[in-house]
Structures are given as structure tokens and as C-alpha cells.
Amino acid sequence: MARSVTQPQGRGDARNAPSARRHHRAIDDDGPSSWLFTIPAFFILLLFVFYPFLNTIRLSFTNSRMLIPGHWVGMENYVKLFQSDQFWTALLNSSLYVVCVVPFMLILPLILASLVAKGPKIIGFFRTTYYFPVVLSAVVIGLIWTNLLDSRGLINSIFQSLHWITTPIPFLTDRWLTLFSAMLVTIWEGLGYYMIIYLSALANIDPSLYEAAEIDGAGPIRQFFAITVPGVRSTMTLILFLSSASAFRVFSEVYVLTRGSGGVGGEDITMTMLIQREGTGLSARTGYASAISVVLLIIVGAITVIQQLIVRRGDD
Amino acid sequence: MNHRRKVTVGGVIKYIVLVLVFIFLAGPLIWEISLAFKGPGDNVYAIPQYLIPKTPTVNNFVEAFHRVPMAHYFANTLVVVAINVLGNIIGCSMAGYAFGCLKFRGRGFAHGLFALAMLMPTEGLLVSTFLLVKSMGLTNTLFGVALPGMVGPLNVLLMTNAFAAVPKELIEAGKVDGANKWQRFVHICLPQVKGTITVVGILAFVASYNDFLWPLVALSDDSKYTLTLGLNRLQGTFYTDPRLVAAGACISLIPIIVFFAIFQRYLFEGLQAGGIKG
């Protein structure tokens, strides 16, 4: 089956397409019954995106619990939140996640993408295996890495048989090592995804640039820094923000690696884990959990707004 | 232009790097498969460890099925996946057609709402979404698990782009022949966007097959558990045998590997278009 439709090549196109047809906007020649087509989509959108968004903000100013609607308490939840050590721990962990994971997501996938962009069949094999982890669930990935990082798991066993260590490294029980282990898992899982985004950017670089550099005697490393990196600059910006937003929201990896406990003493809890812990269950403080949610929405929203501003400025 | 490949230092380094990355990315999966086949005669905590099982067995898989109702969880997951794939294909095609092919007042605004929704982190909406689903009486139901993901905003945008690329002459010809906009949708435009429909279906499949946080919150009755929740349980305090956990993980990998093999090309496009992990 030949596909006759050009595929969209990235988020950028999704944003630009409507504006390309702007001159049609004022015309209403298909009539208001056109709206009927959008009903199923709007139903889900309003019910599960915009309503919960507004309700989260409202609830954050109430003392509601799971089974009690509660009443308006003003800023009380936020005051409690900012006095809670657990909140600051979660905010620290999630922020640290962004700071540590994002540089890897920016650089490693680009190197991978330029290594597998073109070449013989075997390169295609590497490309395929590299993006396979992307389709796996974070739970399976978490289970696999729990086995590997266990005090008696493969990695400790290798280190011990090489006599690098005598006692196992507590990858999953130390406060900081647990967080770094989870970051490793996130990176393992994300490399292929960002590699694919870089691959579509690499495809847009004019190959004659590389040929010219070759003639000038520039080696592969020179070419990488002189042509590849500048050529994918806007994609790098995109990945910077995409990976920041998704690193800040991390949940499954930390949850599975710590067996749902958030680490020893809950010291490895992340923002999303805190929302899940405070906001679900019969005695959940839904108002308080909503205040945490609002903080998450504001931070992720700020990341997104900054990204949009930079992308818009780049377009002009 | 058949020039022979020269073996260069750079080329050798490139392949060394490629193989090392391969070991890093595929190694854990290969190790897990080996672990799943290790029998009682294998010391899973041996130092040094070894890859090939000395007493290979399929008992771990049988045991995993026995201890945790894997088949039941798998069936639950299939129900959720089916609802989400169908919902996304139908809902996103319809909306995409309206935004991409029809002209009506408010279209730009409506389309903008979907672009805005795409940026919304669902983790921040978790509590309110749960309260809403609970007030609908749908917690602890598979439909309740599937419902919030039935129309993905990103998928609506992908379908809009696909429909916008349908040649205007085709649509005009349909109008001349007297086809109304429903007939033009079904007979003219839909066949033109089959490729994107496949991509959308795949994105919906992978997203709902792998989802963990929302089912974890929405389901408390373990007879309704989806596969990811069941797997997480496999790792729970009762079962400390890594062989069982590995067997369970391998079972859950089989459908996604088959799926990956069949739809690889579309998946690649879907990922490039910004799906799944974004």
C-alpha cells in the first residue's frame, strides 16, 4: 500500500500547518455542522484536560479530602506545602533529575544519530536496536534494571569478579545512588527516542556541506562540530525543553526501582510520586495534592512557555 | 560509483562505539531473557555471573503464569488498548478532517485548544481526573482506565496535518459530484490518510499498553489490573526470585516485540512526529 500523504516531520510542522492556511480562516463555507466532526475529540478534551486543569487549581485552595468536598481555605495548602520537608525533597529530586538527565539527552543521541544516519545494512540494524527500548514500558525497564542493579545483581557481580569492589555497591538502597540509578534507566530508555528526533533533523542538512568539508580536509570530528551541531541547533533547543519537561515529571522509573517506596525513608520521592501518594487512596488530601499539582503545572508550563518563546523568535 | 570501503582508524572507532552502545542498550534485555530461562541448578547470584543457563527450563514462565494471573492481566490490557486505538482512530480522524479539510467559524481557535492540550502534563491533572472518573462511577473499570486516553491531542494534530495535505482537487471533484461532507470524509479523504491513521493507531497502542501511573491510580481491584500493574506486583515483596520477575518481563515483551517487528517503519515515523515519550 503506497502512502500518498506526506508525513509530518515534527512538532514544528504541527504548529505551522494551520497558519499556512490562515487566509481561509474567515470563510465559513462548510457551515457550523462541521463542528459535529469535532464532538468526540472535544468531549475528551474538555472532560479530561480542561476541566481537570481548572478543578486542580480550584481544589488547591480548599481543604478537600477524597470523600469530603471541603471548603475554601485560601493559601493554607501552599503554606503547608512550603513548610513540608517532603515537598522540598521531591522538588529537589525532580529538579536534580532535569539537571543530570538533560545534558545526556542533548549530546549522546546526537552522536548516536550521526553514527547511524547512513551506511551499509548493519548500520540499519544498529539504528533499529537503538530505538527498540523506546517502545518498552517503564515498568518492564524498571524490573530489568532492578535485577541488574540489585546488591547481588549482574553489575555488582561483574565489579566483584573484577576485584574492583569487595562489598556490593548499594545502587538501590542509598539515597543518592538510587536517584542516579533511576536517571541511568531514564537515559537508557530515552536515548533512542531523541536519536530519532535528531535523525529527522540530520536528514535536512545539505549533504554538499559535508562534501565540501571533506574536500577541505576536515575530519569527522571537525565536521561534527562545524556542520552537524549548527545544523541541528533548533532541534537541540526542542530536545532541551522536551527532555526537561519529561525529566521533571519522572515517575515510573523511580517508583519501580524503589518498589513504590520512594527509597529508604522516602528520600528519593519525586514530584509526581508525591502527587500520587498524597492525592490517591481513601484518606487522600486531595486539596493538598492539588496544590502540589499546581506547582508541577507551573514549572512544566514555564519550561514550555520559554520553549515556545525561543522557537517563535527563531522563526522570525 | 562502486568504490571499495577503506578500513580507516575512524571507521574502526565508529564500529567499536556502535557495538558498545549496542551492549549497553540490548545487553539488559538479553540478560533478562537468559535469567528467565535459568533453572534451579543455576545460581543466579554466582560470582562471576554467566549468560548461558546451565539447567535451562521454561518452568519460570509456567510459574509466573501460576503465581500471577498474567493471561488475565493481558486480556485486561487488550481491552484498554482496543478502546484506545479505536477511540483515537475514530475521534482523531473526525476532528482532523474538520480542522484539515473543512472551513468553519472558530476552527482556528478550536484547533489551538488541541495544541494547548498537547502541552499539558497529565501528571498534574491526576488527582482531578481521578475524582472525575470516580464521580462517573468508572474507577475500577477498564473503561475508566481507557477513557482519558481515548483522544490524544497530539494525534488530532497529526491527523489535521494529514487531512490538510489531501489534494484540494479531489475534494472539489467530490463537491461537484454532489457528495456532502460526511460522504467526502468517508469516501474521498479517509483513504488518502491511511498511513497517518496507522501511525496514530500505533502511538495509541504503545501509549496505552505501557501506561502505568493512571491505571495504578484508577484501579484498586487486582482482578482489573493491566499487565504493567501485574508486572509491578510480580516484583512485590512476596516474590524475591529474579528468575520469575524476568520470566514475567519477557512474557510482557513478546507482544510488543511482534508489534515492533510488524509496524517498525510506521513506528519510526510516529516517533519522529513527536509521539509516545514527548
Side-chain angles (χ1 to χ4, degrees), chain B residues 82-127:
Chain B
I83 296 173
N84 270 332
V85 169
L86 277 179
N88 271 286
I89 287 178
I90 296 168
C92 299
S93 300
M94 288 173 67
Y97 171 69
F99 295 141
C101 291
L102 301 176
K103 300 180 196 98
F104 55 97
R105 223 174 290 278
R107 183 184 69 177
F109 173 71
H111 185 266
L113 285 182
F114 283 94
L116 192 66
M118 192 184 79
L119 306 172
M120 195 80 84
T122 49
E123 292 83 353
L125 311 178
L126 187 70
V127 176

Side-chain angles (χ1 to χ4, degrees), chain A residues 5 30 33 130 135 188, chain B residues 18 24 103 181 192 210 269:
Chain A
V5 179
D30 287 300
S33 66
Y130 288 179
V135 298
W188 185 85
Chain B
L18 286 173
F24 175 59
K103 300 180 196 98
K181 49 181 173 283
Q192 297 288 320
N210 289 341
E269 283 169 11

Side-chain angles (χ1 to χ4, degrees), chain A residues 180-214:
Chain A
F180 294 134
S181 301
M183 289 172 186
L184 173 75
V185 176
T186 304
I187 292 166
W188 185 85
E189 180 183 359
L191 284 182
Y193 175 61
Y194 296 112
M195 179 191 84
I196 289 169
I197 300 186
Y198 273 130
L199 276 173
S200 60
L202 290 183
N204 292 330
I205 297 179
D206 186 355
S208 66
L209 289 175
Y210 290 104
E211 285 159 25
E214 195 102 20

Side-chain angles (χ1 to χ4, degrees), chain A residues 54-130:
Chain A
L54 296 174
N55 198 37
T56 301
I57 296 171
R58 184 188 69 83
L59 282 175
S60 76
F61 296 106
T62 72
N63 62 356
S64 79
R65 285 174 176 266
M66 187 53 78
L67 302 169
I68 310 158
H71 56 84
W72 186 268
V73 293
M75 298 298 288
E76 201 184 294
N77 286 326
Y78 292 94
V79 172
K80 257 194 284 181
L81 194 61
F82 293 133
Q83 289 167 350
S84 149
D85 289 342
Q86 208 181 26
F87 168 75
W88 291 108
T89 306
L91 190 63
L92 172 71
N93 288 341
S94 288
S95 308
L96 210 57
Y97 225 87
V98 174
V99 173
C100 298
V101 167
V102 170
F104 287 98
M105 296 306 199
L106 278 178
I107 298 160
L108 292 183
L110 178 58
I111 297 171
L112 289 188
S114 42
L115 289 180
V116 300
K118 53 188 182 302
K121 265 225 163 68
I122 183 77
I123 294 288
F125 166 78
F126 282 122
R127 189 167 53 217
T128 308
T129 47
Y130 288 179

Side-chain angles (χ1 to χ4, degrees), chain A residues 1 3-5 7-11 13-14 17-18 21 24-31 33-38 40-42 44-45 47-53 55-56 59 66-67 112 115-116 118 120 122-123 125-137 139-140 143-148 150 152-154 157 160-161 184 188-189 191 193 196 199-200 242 246 249 251-252 255-256 259 272 275-276 279-280 286 289-290 293 296-297 300 304 308, chain B residues 5 14-15 17-19 21-22 24-25 28-29 31-32 35 45-49 91 94-95 97-99 101-108 110-111 113-114 116-121 123-134 136 147-148 150-151 157-158 161-162 164-165 175 181-182 184-185 192-196 199 206 210 212-213 216-217 228 231-232 235 242 245-246 249 252-253 256-257 260 264-269 271-275 277-278:
Chain A
M1 180 187 67
R3 291 178 321 104
S4 47
V5 179
Q7 291 299 322
Q9 287 296 317
R11 279 162 190 272
D13 301 84
R21 301 187 312 273
H24 287 306
R25 195 182 275 174
I27 310 164
D28 192 23
D29 57 359
D30 287 300
S33 66
S34 305
W35 280 97
L36 291 176
F37 284 98
T38 68
F42 257 112
I44 300 291
L45 186 79
L47 216 51
F48 292 107
V49 180
F50 291 112
Y51 167 74
F53 176 68
N55 198 37
T56 301
L59 282 175
M66 187 53 78
L67 302 169
L112 289 188
L115 289 180
V116 300
K118 53 188 182 302
I122 183 77
I123 294 288
F125 166 78
F126 282 122
R127 189 167 53 217
T128 308
T129 47
Y130 288 179
Y131 81 86
F132 180 66
V134 175
V135 298
L136 301 182
S137 81
V139 175
V140 174
L143 292 179
I144 292 174
W145 280 93
T146 308
N147 276 344
L148 291 174
D150 187 83
R152 296 188 289 177
L154 179 65
S157 162
Q160 274 169 316
S161 42
L184 173 75
W188 185 85
E189 180 183 359
L191 284 182
Y193 175 61
I196 289 169
L199 276 173
S200 60
L242 276 184
S246 95
R249 290 149 44 190
F251 174 77
S252 305
Y255 186 92
V256 177
R259 298 175 193 238
T272 307
I275 293 170
Q276 182 257 345
T280 59
T286 46
S290 294
S293 305
L296 180 125
L297 288 169
V300 176
T304 311
Q308 293 292 324
Chain B
R5 294 201 148 264
K14 173 178 167 172
Y15 277 92
V17 172
L18 286 173
V19 170
V21 175
F22 176 80
F24 175 59
L25 291 175
L29 295 169
W31 181 254
E32 197 75 351
L35 202 53
Y45 299 124
I47 298 175
Q49 299 248 13
M94 288 173 67
Y97 171 69
F99 295 141
C101 291
L102 301 176
K103 300 180 196 98
F104 55 97
R105 223 174 290 278
R107 183 184 69 177
H111 185 266
L113 285 182
F114 283 94
L116 192 66
M118 192 184 79
L119 306 172
M120 195 80 84
E123 292 83 353
L125 311 178
L126 187 70
V127 176
S128 285
T129 307
F130 177 76
L131 290 173
L132 177 66
V133 171
K134 188 166 161 285
M136 296 164 114
L147 192 58
M150 271 181 77
V151 175
L157 300 186
L158 291 180
N161 280 358
K175 278 185 190 168
K181 49 181 173 283
W182 295 90
R184 296 200 302 268
F185 172 56
Q192 297 288 320
V193 297
K194 277 183 196 155
T196 308
V199 170
V206 176
N210 289 341
F212 178 57
L213 177 57
L216 180 74
V217 170
T228 49
L231 283 172
N232 182 54
Q235 189 223 28
V245 177
S252 85
L253 286 179
I256 208 91
I257 289 174
F260 184 81
Q264 207 212 97
R265 194 169 59 96
Y266 291 102
L267 192 69
F268 198 80
E269 283 169 11
L271 290 170
Q272 285 200 324
K277 305 264 153 133

